[in-house]
């Protein structure tokens, strides 16, 4: 079968690239080995975890905060099976939506494992037969998978990754999370809200290593108040799974006995068994595929985007790369600005950021001014009863151009979009401060942080 473009992988990067390329007139095929389109993000990542985060937050509020607001709901009972079922329905519905988009855009789908056999040639093996595809262009968008540590054997049950942690059949009595990054904290928060004792073990001396230090420290204090325990600066050397429990072994410290272990120590690119050696593409020491500014590998006509090329392992980063790739391929121009890609941790409160951290600006020797505004002084946050956290804005000391914004607080993931747009257009803190923000809204905290850069916040 001949196509203009064959894409390997139907995750956020692959399926978005397929749609945009088809919109631009290319004959596009997409190969996916899983039954459902959407990749890790949809099947066992972003979407199911957010469904559980929302449900667990509603349950926690009903148990702990409704009475304070004059809402008596009577006797509450957790129906975990139904909660997990709602999560699965959400995933299934969205997966079906991508199927419909493929049909709408006349994208040919192939099911099976893809192997690149030569430039412009891919074999698809569905377990029964093999189909050879030919295309002028091949795009690798195979994403990533959870990483593990030496000494830890994953059994897919008591000792597992985020995939298993999305579907525990019972609330763990004691869940140990190995890794204090976004994935570990999000899923730790889910089970903490549902009644589990949660202990987070982190090798570094801080949680959320890519987050602004000041924000990460404040977040940790809030999570500790919620009941999550942290052991920082500890090195896990192994996990022993017993019949009903697990023993997590820590260097120079007592082991911890629990009934579930979530290994959340990052992700590794899915670059094995793609046939890269058949065309002479060499991955780097961490398994990532090197590409040029237009996502082309060392072999002409073969490209890669998303988690397999490194950088921020985020679905929306892969999506933007997919669009940029397709547009450059067809029109000769494609744009992506890595400095304005936001990141969000969907904990409670949420943590969102775009641009540089204060740590990075100090390390680079860039002079900056800082404005900060607490949600404690925001009317909408007070009305919601969610006053923890702040908005922190960093602007160039000479030009006032916004260099970074960091939000710890309610709906931070939604609020950060304004800041990303402002930075994409080169806005100054004065620009944001001069824009009228509706009252009472959480977004007023962004305006106040912008005013605070110039030491003229009005409500704090």
């Amino acid at each position: 079968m001949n196509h203009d473009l064959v894409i390997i992988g139907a995750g956020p990067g692959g399926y978005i690239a397929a749609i945009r390329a088809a919109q631009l007139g290319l004959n596009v095929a997409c190969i996916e080995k899983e039954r459902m389109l959407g990749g890790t993000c949809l099947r066992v990542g972003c979407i199911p975890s957010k469904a559980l985060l929302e449900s667990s937050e509603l349950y926690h509020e009903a148990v702990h905060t409704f009475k304070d607001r004059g809402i008596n709901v009577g006797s509450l009972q957790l129906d975990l099976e139904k909660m997990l079922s709602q999560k699965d329905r959400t995933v299934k519905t969205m997966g079906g939506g991508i199927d419909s988009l493929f049909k709408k855009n006349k994208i040919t789908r192939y099911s099976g494992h893809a192997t690149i056999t030569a430039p412009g040639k891919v074999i698809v093996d569905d377990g029964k037969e093999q189909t050879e595809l030919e295309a002028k262009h091949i795009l690798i968008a195979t994403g990533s998978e959870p990483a593990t540590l030496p000494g830890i054997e994953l059994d897919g049950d008591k000792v597992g990754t985020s995939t298993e942690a999305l579907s525990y059949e019972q609330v763990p009595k004691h869940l140990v999370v190995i890794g204090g990054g976004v994935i570990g904290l999000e899923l730790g928060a889910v089970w903490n809200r549902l009644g589990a004792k949660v202990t987070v073990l982190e090798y570094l001396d801080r949680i959320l290593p890519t987050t602004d230090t000041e924000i990460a420290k404040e977040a940790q204090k809030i999570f500790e108040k919620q009941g999550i325990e942290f052991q920082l600066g500890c090195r896990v050397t192994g996990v022993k799974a017993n019949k009903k429990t697990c023993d997590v072994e820590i260097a120079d410290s007592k082991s911890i006995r629990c009934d579930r272990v979530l290994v959340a120590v990052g992700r590794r690119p899915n670059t094995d068994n793609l046939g890269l050696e058949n065309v002479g593409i060499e991955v780097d020491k961490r398994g990532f595929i090197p590409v040029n500014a237009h996502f082309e590998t060392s072999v002409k006509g073969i490209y890669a985007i998303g988690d397999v090329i490194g950088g921020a392992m985020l679905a929306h980063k892969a999506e933007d790369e997919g669009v940029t790739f397709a547009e450059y391929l067809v029109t000769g121009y494609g744009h992506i600005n890595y400095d304005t890609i936001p990141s969000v941790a969907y904990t409670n409160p949420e943590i969102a950021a775009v641009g540089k951290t204060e740590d990075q600006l100090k390390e680079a020797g860039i002079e900056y001014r800082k404005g900060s505004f607490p949600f404690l002084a925001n009317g909408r946050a007070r009305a919601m009863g969610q006053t923890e956290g702040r908005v922190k804005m960093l602007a160039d000391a000479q030009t006032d151009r916004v260099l970074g914004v960091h939000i710890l607080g309610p709906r931070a993931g939604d609020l950060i979009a304004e800041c990303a747009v402002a930075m994409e257009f080169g806005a100054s803190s004065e620009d944001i401060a001069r824009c009228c923000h509706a009252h009472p809204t959480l977004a007023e905290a962004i305006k106040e942080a912008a005013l605070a850069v110039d030491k003229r916040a009005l409500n704090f």
Side-chain angles (χ1 to χ4, degrees):
M1 297 292 292
N2 289 303
H3 300 277
D4 297 325
L5 170 65
V6 167
I7 298 173
I8 305 173
Y15 90 77
I16 289 294
I19 291 171
R20 187 67 186 118
Q23 287 176 343
L24 291 168
L26 297 188
N27 178 333
V28 182
C30 190
I31 307 166
E32 174 56 59
K33 65 180 181 180
E34 300 289 344
R35 182 183 61 81
M36 183 181 291
L37 300 173
T40 295
C41 177
L42 175 56
R43 293 183 301 102
V44 290
C46 322
I47 302 305
S49 65
K50 301 316 163 280
L52 282 184
L53 279 159
E54 291 290 342
S55 296
S56 63
E57 185 172 345
L58 287 171
Y59 173 76
H60 187 268
E61 285 183 359
V63 172
H64 296 282
T65 64
F66 277 14
K67 287 183 180 179
D68 292 340
R69 291 181 167 267
I71 304 171
N72 295 316
V73 293
S75 178
L76 276 171
Q77 194 171 13
L78 172 65
D79 188 337
L80 182 57
E81 184 178 353
K82 186 172 285 188
M83 187 178 287
L84 294 175
S85 177
Q86 187 275 336
K87 171 207 67 171
D88 293 339
R89 285 197 309 274
T90 301
V91 170
K92 185 177 179 180
T93 299
M94 293 195 68
I98 299 174
D99 275 320
S100 298
L101 288 171
F102 269 33
K103 291 172 184 174
K104 173 185 174 182
N105 290 281
K106 298 180 174 56
I107 297 164
T108 305
R109 186 210 169 155
Y110 294 92
S111 297
H113 178 80
T115 303
I116 301 171
T117 57
K121 293 187 178 181
V122 181
I123 294 287
V124 184
D125 187 343
D126 66 3
K128 296 179 182 178
E129 60 181 7
Q130 294 186 342
T131 304
E132 183 174 84
L133 308 181
E134 293 190 13
K136 185 177 180 181
H137 307 287
I138 297 170
L139 175 65
I140 302 168
T142 45
S144 62
E145 63 182 4
T148 187
L149 293 173
I152 300 179
E153 185 175 340
L154 303 173
D155 65 7
D157 181 21
K158 291 192 291 294
V159 184
T161 65
S162 55
T163 300
E164 289 74 32
L166 290 167
S167 301
Y168 294 153
E169 293 179 353
Q170 293 179 319
V171 177
K173 292 183 178 67
H174 187 186
L175 171 66
V176 168
V177 179
I178 302 174
V182 172
I183 294 173
L185 291 179
E186 286 185 351
L187 290 172
V190 166
W191 296 107
N192 175 59
R193 292 172 193 165
L194 298 180
K197 175 183 178 181
V198 176
T199 302
V200 176
L201 308 178
E202 171 55 51
Y203 178 72
L204 300 175
D205 61 357
R206 55 164 293 180
I207 63 170
L208 298 166
T210 60
T211 301
D212 183 271
T213 298
E214 185 179 32
I215 294 293
K217 285 181 177 179
E218 187 172 348
Q220 183 180 333
K221 291 177 182 177
I222 295 171
F223 300 151
E224 286 172 337
K225 285 196 295 182
Q226 294 171 357
I228 298 177
E229 299 177 356
F230 292 90
Q231 290 188 27
L232 305 180
C234 69
R235 180 169 61 88
V236 175
T237 57
V239 175
K240 181 182 178 183
N242 310 310
K243 284 186 178 180
K244 293 185 178 180
T245 62
C246 302
D247 291 317
V248 181
E249 298 164 352
I250 304 169
D252 304 318
S253 184
K254 290 194 307 180
S255 62
I256 299 176
R257 177 157 290 183
C258 59
D259 52 330
R260 292 276 192 185
V261 176
L262 163 57
V263 182
V265 292
R267 300 183 64 82
R268 61 179 295 275
N270 284 323
T271 49
D272 297 337
N273 303 315
L274 288 175
L276 300 181
E277 67 282 357
N278 295 333
V279 290
I281 295 175
E282 294 184 3
V283 299
D284 68 17
K285 61 183 180 181
R286 294 189 296 163
F288 294 112
I289 300 174
V291 295
N292 65 17
H294 304 301
F295 308 107
E296 192 167 32
T297 68
S298 58
V299 177
K300 185 175 177 59
I302 301 180
Y303 309 80
I305 60 169
D307 288 4
V308 292
I309 67 171
M313 287 183 159
L314 300 169
H316 46 282
K317 175 256 197 187
E319 289 180 356
D320 272 17
E321 287 178 341
V323 170
T324 302
F325 157 77
E327 292 181 349
Y328 182 81
L329 191 66
V330 177
T331 71
Y333 179 78
H335 168 76
I336 185 168
N337 182 358
Y338 287 108
D339 289 331
T340 56
I341 293 177
S343 62
V344 185
Y346 296 89
T347 48
N348 185 21
E350 293 180 351
I351 306 165
V354 62
K356 303 296 184 184
T357 65
E358 190 169 0
D359 315 76
Q360 290 171 328
L361 295 178
K362 286 178 180 177
E363 188 176 341
I366 298 172
E367 293 184 5
Y368 63 92
R369 295 187 299 158
K370 176 170 68 173
S372 183
F373 188 81
F375 282 102
L376 189 70
N378 176 267
R380 184 64 189 275
R382 280 223 173 253
M384 294 167 62
Q386 299 181 41
T387 57
E388 293 175 310
R390 67 185 58 249
V391 176
K392 174 178 175 178
M393 188 172 293
L394 306 167
D396 188 280
Q398 277 73 47
T399 67
D400 193 39
R401 186 169 183 166
V402 178
L403 302 175
V405 181
H406 306 271
I407 307 174
L408 169 66
R411 299 175 190 167
D414 297 316
L415 294 174
I416 202 66
E418 172 187 350
C419 306
V421 171
M423 288 179 61
E424 182 65 36
F425 283 89
S428 64
S429 71
E430 178 73 8
D431 291 329
I432 296 174
R434 291 289 177 184
C435 290
C436 186
H437 289 63
H439 175 76
T441 61
L442 296 171
E444 288 177 284
I446 294 173
K447 175 175 180 171
E448 290 279 2
L451 287 165
V453 171
D454 196 36
K455 294 183 173 55
R456 54 191 175 100
L458 298 169
N459 286 284
F460 186 73

